[in-house]
Amino acid sequence: PSLHTCTASVVHSRGHDIVMTAAHCLHGTGAGYVFAPGYHNGKTPYGTWTVTAAYGSSRWMHNQDPQRDWAFLVLGPKTVKGKSVHIEDVTGGNRLGSAPRSGRHVTIPAYDLGTQDAPITCRARVYRHAGYPAFDCDGYQDGTSGSPWLTQVRHHKMIVGLIGGLHQGGCSPSTSYSS
């Protein structure tokens, strides 16, 4: 299995080995899934990294609670130039922040399966819909689940949401939600 049907983001962590995605993208333990950071036009500039474990909310696992549609994946190290390295050492990592308030701008990089192997990005203003953070941008459809909602705080990029939640991220390619 692979995460090519969803997007994930490297999260700053003590072990330098965590990515975050939408929980609805995974089945079982997640072990054996593959993450390809920077994937573009069939190329994997940072190689592929294997998921060794997955963690999520028990409210998602037992009830598929859309307010808990997120998962953290542990990636195994790989050997680069004869040295064992972790994903964050190679790509850097985003810090976790709080859910965005209405009116805040976020940038959403995503991999949309309908864009011929090219990533998409949108900058949008957040609003609330039925209790969920939401944004409007065209083109966010299959493959964009798990895409991070990023904002800049001082010198750090912060993940303040991800595509998931209500209707597993949205029913329309122009409106997306976060848990």
Side-chain angles (χ1 to χ4, degrees):
S2 69
L3 286 176
H4 83 284
T5 57
C6 285
T7 302
S9 181
V10 179
V11 176
H12 175 65
S13 66
R14 187 177 330 154
H16 292 211
D17 58 355
I18 304 291
V19 296
M20 184 177 191
T21 192
H24 73 260
C25 293
L26 303 174
H27 299 285
T29 66
Y33 279 70
V34 176
F35 175 60
Y39 180 88
H40 188 277
N41 293 330
K43 306 262 190 274
T44 54
Y46 301 105
T48 58
W49 300 72
T50 302
V51 174
T52 60
Y55 299 92
S57 168
S58 62
R59 286 179 35 193
W60 173 264
M61 291 184 262
H62 298 295
N63 303 318
Q64 282 72 51
D65 179 350
Q67 288 286 5
R68 299 293 185 262
D69 188 5
W70 45 262
F72 291 95
L73 311 176
V74 179
L75 303 179
K78 64 186 290 177
T79 303
V80 176
K81 297 181 182 175
K83 184 179 176 189
S84 180
V85 296
H86 294 281
I87 186 68
E88 187 180 345
D89 299 327
V90 175
T91 65
N94 301 302
R95 297 181 185 270
L96 289 177
S98 300
R101 290 189 297 269
S102 291
R104 183 149 198 190
H105 281 92
V106 293
T107 301
I108 309 95
Y111 178 78
D112 181 349
L113 293 178
T115 58
Q116 301 176 3
D117 272 354
I120 59 174
T121 300
C122 177
R123 186 168 189 271
R125 185 179 305 268
V126 174
Y127 63 93
R128 294 279 174 178
H129 174 83
Y132 292 85
F135 72 87
D136 292 329
C137 282
D138 286 331
Y140 284 73
Q141 50 197 19
D142 290 342
T144 62
S145 290
S147 296
W149 295 22
L150 300 172
T151 190
Q152 190 78 26
V153 176
R154 295 186 191 101
H155 302 292
H156 303 288
K157 283 189 181 176
M158 303 284 287
I159 299 174
V160 295
L162 59 85
I163 294 180
L166 185 63
H167 306 299
Q168 295 186 347
C171 294
S172 160
S174 61
T175 300
S176 297
Y177 304 101
S178 179
S179 52

